[in-house]
Amino acid sequence: MNTLALAPAPRGSAPVTLEHCLLLAALLHLWLVVALGSAPPGTAAPGQGVWGSINVTLRGTAAGPPAEVQPPAPPLQPSGPAGTAPD
């Protein structure tokens, strides 16, 4: 028998609900935003290997006609001498 199997919940405990899981997930994300999203910038000069801020812009679909789809390139043919390996 596997000794790492999960034990059943005690009789007096309430079952874990979807609402409980969603609340915990939302609180975790809020905590991460507060902890990491408000971190002060570093002291390195721009261009010295430090990431800048993330700018996200949501745009709709293009209003014009769809771009033309290019056919795939033909496969490359071997250009070296013929080998001596058996088929």
Side-chain angles (χ1 to χ4, degrees):
M1 178 164 174
N2 189 355
T3 58
L4 298 176
L6 296 176
R11 284 195 163 239
S13 66
V16 177
T17 62
L18 178 63
E19 291 83 15
H20 187 130
C21 294
L22 292 175
L23 175 65
L24 290 177
L27 290 174
L28 175 65
H29 281 82
L30 179 65
W31 177 73
L32 286 173
V33 167
V34 169
L36 301 177
S38 62
T43 58
Q48 296 298 317
V50 178
W51 294 355
S53 61
I54 298 174
N55 297 322
V56 178
T57 304
L58 299 177
R59 299 181 184 181
T61 58
E68 291 186 29
V69 177
Q70 299 293 328
L76 296 175
Q77 299 297 324
S79 60
T84 57
D87 286 332

